[in-house]
Amino acid sequence: MTKKPARKTTAKTASVPTEQVPLVDYLRLGARPYLRAHECTKCGARYFDRRNACAKCGKTEFKNARVKNAARVKAFTIVHRAAPGVPAPYVSAIVTTEDGTTVRSNIVNCEPSPDTVRLGMKVKLTTYPIGTDDNGCEAVAYGYQPA
Amino acid sequence: MPADPNNGDDVWVLGTHMTKFGRYPDKDWVDLASESAMEAMADGKVTIHDMEILAAGSLFNASAGPGQRIQKQIGQTGIPVYNVANACATGATAIRTVYMAIKAGEAEMGLAVGVEQMGKMGMLTGATKKESKTYEPSGRFGAVTGVDGYLGTDGMPGVFAQAGMEYANDHDGVGFEQFAKVAYKNHKNSALNPLAQYRKEFSLEEVMGAPVMSYPNTLLMCCPTGDGAASVVLVSGERLKSMSKRAQKRAVKISASVLTSDPWTESGQVLPDVNTLTRNAAEQAYEKSGVDPSDLDLVELHDCFATAELLHYDNLGLCERGGAGDWIDSGGPFRDGDTPVNVSGGLISKGHPIGATGVANVYEVTTHLRGEAGDRQVKGATVGLTHVIGLGSSCGIHILEKAAV
């Protein structure tokens, strides 16, 4: 993972190496970023957050699963009126990965137009920085881009 | 198939009322709810002293004790109050609470009230996380900052746009134009409804050419925020038998009252699945009532966005499976079509004060079954269905039938 120099340093943090954090904990950064799901050991249902029991079958054991990066667009919308502070327009989508997991994401590196984004379009996982905090720590989000 | 009031086990709508939906800067939600409650009881020629249970819902005032606030305005008789909150199914949940109490034999008569005052609160989005100066993982996904706009949208127009596009992905003949026709129809219907928040017709071109909120939903394909209240008085069949012939004639039977939540689905973990629980509720409602979708004279369903209405044609069995696009293209849900849908103007133009919505659609269908709907009356209507869905999710369906007397 490339480490970017701190945008802003303070006396307290000047000597601390800068770092990256994933926007959400189920995004695993590294040489080949991927999404980590909690997979039910009985029925295989996947969850990105923690569950007390599987919402599908009720079993209480989960293992970490690496979600495949290749996916197809199952549904999308082009958001023109976004929440305050969110740049628009952008493409919001629901994608289904090659191994059948449904993921919410933006479609990135793609013109936000219904002529460019297509239902069923092949996409793949990518990551990009979204900001840097006061300690020079960079937040990294995931998105899917046309494959 | 007119309903027989001589069956004492049934539950009936005795009185009902809704305020005009809109904006009431000079009133508060307690005023609106109380006004509607009083009018619904007057409509049924009963008073608060006849009520044995009160269920009240106001999503944004859930912690304020809406039922008790209403009692202080209209009569504190000491009856049990149930305050309910179930997202956009809040009003339907209030009705079902009273329905269950009567079915259980705990009460003979009760009042359900739904109310909301939203003013011009703007677009509803997910909770925005405060921008922090240092990134610290928090919450169930360990997010270091707000995810809305980075990991897809939490804005309602977009969430429901995606639900519609999922249907378009799975079925042919569904696209921007079919979704836009829903809004064209509902705006047109609302012109006949004096209680609607907006009563202006728009051409299909105007609907499609309006500013895009979340493609394919344009501004005219999204429901507005607003204020309003609606109420129903429910009565047991046994008690109804002892009431006047006029009351019996105007009473409307609740042939099915159903509430469902989400069963597990894979995609429902990240995109609200508004379909499965609606299908389940519809199946139960048709089974309980013995009513077939083809028997329905009118349907009031949850068109919070134009993309949502189209899905429910299919979910409620109003069209062939997968055929919602063809059905609207053929005019099926229009006023003069096979099964008129949202003749009130729907949430898109009648308005959607959240807590009131699930009661207002029962008001609407009841009014048609009584033959009292004026200019917008669906002629000869004897059976109708109401549907709401609250994200999270919760789906309420009521099937109503005209009295035989």
Side-chain angles (χ1 to χ4, degrees), chain A:
Chain A
M1 153 183 14
T2 329
K3 293 187 176 170
K4 283 186 70 177
R7 192 175 58 184
K8 212 161 135 191
T9 54
T10 64
K12 191 185 162 198
T13 59
S15 60
V16 178
T18 58
E19 55 179 347
Q20 287 187 322
V21 287
L23 172 57
V24 283
D25 60 13
Y26 61 88
L27 167 61
R28 300 312 226 192
L29 299 174
R32 192 167 172 270
Y34 66 95
L35 302 184
R36 180 268 299 140
H38 297 132
E39 186 176 289
C40 173
T41 55
K42 184 183 175 197
C43 75
R46 287 176 169 183
Y47 306 96
F48 287 111
D49 58 347
R50 58 184 187 274
R51 300 290 169 107
N52 300 67
C54 174
K56 184 182 183 187
C57 76
K59 175 120 178 174
T60 54
E61 278 171 39
F62 296 90
K63 64 177 184 191
N64 283 339
R66 188 180 178 123
V67 178
K68 289 203 169 170
N69 286 353
R72 278 181 190 271
V73 174
K74 177 185 171 65
F76 74 89
T77 179
I78 299 163
V79 180
H80 288 258
R81 300 281 180 89
V86 175
Y90 67 90
V91 183
S92 165
I94 303 298
V95 306
T96 308
T97 64
E98 242 176 20
D99 46 351
T101 305
T102 314
V103 184
R104 57 174 285 178
S105 176
N106 283 6
I107 302 296
V108 297
N109 303 326
C110 179
E111 184 75 20
S113 148
D115 300 326
T116 329
V117 191
R118 292 280 172 199
L119 291 169
M121 183 169 85
K122 281 186 178 177
V123 291
K124 64 177 182 193
L125 189 84
T126 185
T127 58
Y128 62 101
I130 59 164
T132 307
D133 74 4
D134 286 353
N135 300 329
C137 178
E138 189 175 69
V140 178
Y142 68 85
Y144 287 83
Q145 65 180 19

Side-chain angles (χ1 to χ4, degrees), chain B residues 268-285:
Chain B
Q269 303 303 308
V270 293
L271 172 67
D273 172 10
V274 298
N275 303 309
T276 311
L277 82 168
T278 297
R279 285 180 178 279
N280 290 352
E283 197 179 309
Q284 286 180 40

Side-chain angles (χ1 to χ4, degrees), chain B residues 195-231:
Chain B
L195 301 174
Q197 183 165 351
Y198 294 105
R199 302 185 64 188
K200 191 176 170 193
E201 287 188 45
F202 296 92
S203 68
L204 184 60
E205 292 69 31
E206 284 172 314
V207 171
M208 295 178 79
V212 180
M213 297 294 284
S214 270
Y215 176 86
N217 282 326
T218 68
L219 185 63
L220 291 173
M221 294 160 74
C222 301
C223 68
T225 58
D227 313 337
S231 303

